[in-house]
Amino acid sequence: MARERQLSRRSLLGGAAAAAGAVGLTATTAGTASAATARTVDVAVVGGGLAGLTAARDLVAGGRSVVVLEARDRVGGRVVNLKLANGGVTEGGAEFIGPTQDRIKALADSLGVATFTTYNTGNNLLYKDGKRTPYDTSGLLGSVPPVDAAGLANAAIVQSQLDSMAKQVPVDAPWTAAKAAEWDKQTFESWLNANAVIPSAKFLLDLACTSVFSAQPRELSLLYVLYYIAAAGNAANPGTLERLTDTANGAQESRFVGGSQQVPIKLAATLGDRVVLGAPVRSIAQSGSQYVVTADGITVTAARVVVALPPPLAARIAYDPLLPAERDQLCQRMPMGSIGKAIAVYDTPFWRADGLNGQAVSDSGVVRSTFDNSPPDGSYGALMGFIEADEMRAYDSASVDDVKAAVLKDYANYFGDKAKSPASFVLQRWDNEGFSRGGPVAYAPPGVLTEYGAALRKPVGGIHWAGTETSTYWNGFMDGAVRSGERAAKEVLAEL
């Protein structure tokens, strides 16, 4: 029956690879731009996130000389650990890993970075219309919030429709789907308005959308949403909305011991001084059969270049000759989502004693989905909330104190008065991060994929494109970033 299908919501940044300036860790063996003003290598990699580092690893394994130019003073991109006042760490960006995310898991295993299960014992919370409702996730509806029966039935039908439509979308070329033109000319919002006809069902689908994309349904192409669902799997397991949004058996199932940035930090350490920090790339110019990559403090001459940046940031580099119009127009049309993460730290995870797992969803407030971000041993408590889309944009320019006050008000609504007084509080606003300008992913509004999508991965001469946005599976997640780096390295090795 339709109601037996589960609809839940995702938290964020499964993905992906992004970056926080304030307290990111750095790879201690990486070089700095001041250490060398010029290098000549086979391949220059622009971007020291998971995509760029993975490409560099595979290129080195293939016998090629490489330099990675990273703008920040740390590696990881949209993956960053934030230091806490109590000496612990929490994730300011991408943090979760789940089933079928095979490539990030293989990379972490190879580097000795273990995972642990996201805390998921006890009841979830629904906060709707000012009412707080705990609910058990072990029953027939799983983690679906307990809205009215009509809304649940409508939402289940909509989810089934989305999954069915997604199966018709080729993950390597969504613009070639039989109904691509029809689906790409409308927003996800317009489709939901015609199909999620019960208000509570629309609430659930809107929440799923903002939680996954950090964008409103009105901003997204329906075709892009269907592609994203199709990509939430691997070659043996077709993607589903349920896998994209769930905790148990879904994209939020596990976390990394020591924080997700341990993966890029340890990967960068294997590359040593091939990684150059503090070197934002300003231009890429072709000179005969070579490319001259100019960054702050260093110039690299290379036979091939891998640009491992989100499309809107890749477009901010000056190219000579100019990029083909199709590629540049694509980059102009793919904005970043708007997202922040707010983590309140407490002496204990007190909500657990109340039978709660720290996961809440809400129809109001600045934070509309939360997770228990406590360490594996529960030695202290951490509540993490996502600030997304319209809510994040409303607070981009607010003071940290104002954001904190709004967040703690929400946490108190969800988890009681104890949430009002954390021992410490950390905030990461990706919209304000200079080398990300949003997250978790650059998305496609209507008309973009069908008109410009073919330029997403197509090399331009000796310039190749990586980054989670270019992945065919788990686009927008850490797994997608790793897959994209592996693919770009194969392209380059086949040409050199």
Side-chain angles (χ1 to χ4, degrees):
M1 295 177 60
R3 285 188 61 185
E4 293 179 2
R5 296 190 58 84
Q6 293 185 9
L7 176 88
S8 60
R9 51 88 189 90
R10 168 202 200 230
S11 71
L12 144 86
L13 267 127
V23 280
L25 307 179
T26 59
T28 56
T29 55
T32 60
S34 60
T37 58
R39 293 194 195 180
T40 298
V41 292
D42 294 325
V43 187
V45 177
V46 181
L50 282 170
L53 295 173
T54 298
R57 174 203 64 179
D58 289 0
L59 289 164
V60 171
R64 297 299 175 177
S65 57
V66 175
V67 65
V68 178
L69 299 171
E70 167 53 46
R72 301 174 179 86
D73 62 356
R74 62 167 185 83
V75 295
R78 282 165 278 181
V79 181
V80 66
N81 287 351
L82 304 179
K83 293 182 179 178
L84 300 176
N86 64 8
V89 297
T90 193
E91 297 91 344
E95 67 176 276
F96 297 110
I97 178 176
T100 76
Q101 295 187 4
D102 313 311
R103 302 317 303 153
I104 181 64
K105 182 62 166 61
L107 174 60
D109 287 348
S110 73
L111 296 168
V113 181
T115 61
F116 67 101
T117 302
T118 302
Y119 191 81
N120 199 32
T121 301
N123 290 331
N124 283 31
L125 277 175
L126 169 65
Y127 188 82
K128 190 173 186 295
D129 301 325
K131 180 182 178 182
R132 178 179 176 272
T133 305
Y135 62 100
D136 186 358
T137 63
S138 62
L140 183 64
L141 294 174
S143 55
V144 182
V147 297
D148 57 277
L152 289 172
N154 187 196
I157 291 171
V158 170
Q159 175 175 308
S160 180
Q161 289 177 295
L162 289 170
D163 284 347
S164 178
M165 294 159 68
K167 290 178 181 177
Q168 303 172 49
V169 178
V171 293
D172 58 343
W175 47 89
T176 67
K179 295 185 178 181
E182 175 186 339
W183 291 339
D184 204 31
K185 70 181 180 182
Q186 60 184 301
T187 65
F188 188 39
E189 173 84 5
S190 63
W191 187 87
L192 285 177
N193 285 341
N195 291 275
V197 294
I198 304 299
S200 55
K202 182 66 161 49
F203 157 68
L204 293 177
L205 273 299
D206 283 350
L207 183 63
C209 178
T210 54
S211 295
V212 170
F213 300 102
S214 300
Q216 302 296 144
R218 67 177 185 268
E219 299 176 287
L220 302 165
S221 157
L222 173 61
L223 177 63
Y224 178 75
V225 171
L226 296 174
Y227 156 63
Y228 212 82
I229 294 170
N234 58 21
N237 299 275
T240 65
L241 181 59
E242 184 178 354
R243 187 181 299 119
L244 189 65
T245 60
D246 266 354
T247 300
N249 300 312
Q252 286 65 242
E253 184 173 74
S254 299
R255 297 168 58 201
F256 290 104
V257 176
S260 53
Q261 199 189 0
Q262 287 294 310
V263 179
I265 287 173
K266 292 192 174 186
L267 179 54
T270 69
L271 295 168
D273 63 6
R274 297 182 184 90
V275 179
V276 180
L277 302 176
V281 170
R282 306 302 181 181
S283 66
I284 300 174
Q286 189 170 4
S287 178
S289 62
Q290 300 288 297
Y291 289 85
V292 179
V293 182
T294 303
D296 289 3
I298 184 171
T299 299
V300 177
T301 301
R304 294 289 185 275
V305 181
V306 174
V307 178
L309 302 175
L313 297 186
R316 297 182 183 185
I317 297 171
Y319 297 87
D320 183 14
L322 292 174
L323 294 178
E326 181 186 38
R327 170 70 195 186
D328 194 64
Q329 292 284 318
L330 170 77
C331 293
Q332 292 180 43
R333 285 164 168 79
M334 290 190 72
M336 303 297 290
S338 297
I339 189 167
K341 293 179 78 174
I343 300 97
V345 180
Y346 305 88
D347 292 337
T348 64
F350 61 85
W351 50 91
R352 297 182 184 180
D354 296 330
L356 301 175
N357 61 19
Q359 296 176 46
V361 294
S362 175
D363 65 348
S364 61
V366 60
V367 167
R368 302 197 178 187
S369 64
T370 68
F371 276 81
D372 183 328
N373 255 41
S374 309
D377 61 4
S379 55
Y380 59 87
L383 282 174
M384 181 273 287
F386 290 108
I387 311 173
E388 301 182 285
D390 284 350
E391 285 68 47
M392 187 68 264
R393 289 187 280 264
Y395 279 86
D396 276 337
S397 60
S399 70
V400 173
D401 285 344
D402 285 347
V403 178
K404 179 180 178 180
V407 168
L408 294 183
K409 179 181 177 181
D410 291 339
Y411 288 0
N413 285 336
Y414 309 152
F415 301 105
D417 286 346
K418 291 181 181 178
K420 294 179 179 179
S421 304
S424 62
F425 180 88
V426 292
L427 174 67
Q428 173 60 34
R429 287 184 277 194
W430 288 102
D431 296 15
N432 297 341
E433 217 292 320
F435 295 110
S436 292
R437 301 318 306 263
V441 65
Y443 61 85
V448 175
L449 287 180
T450 48
E451 189 67 25
Y452 307 102
L456 191 57
R457 288 182 296 275
K458 183 180 178 181
V460 176
I463 301 174
H464 298 254
W465 311 106
T468 190
E469 287 83 2
T470 71
S471 185
T472 54
Y473 286 108
W474 288 110
N475 183 292
F477 289 73
M478 290 184 284
D479 190 71
V482 174
R483 289 175 187 270
S484 77
E486 293 173 339
R487 186 257 313 149
K490 288 179 181 177
E491 291 177 359
V492 172
L493 289 172
E495 291 189 358
L496 291 178

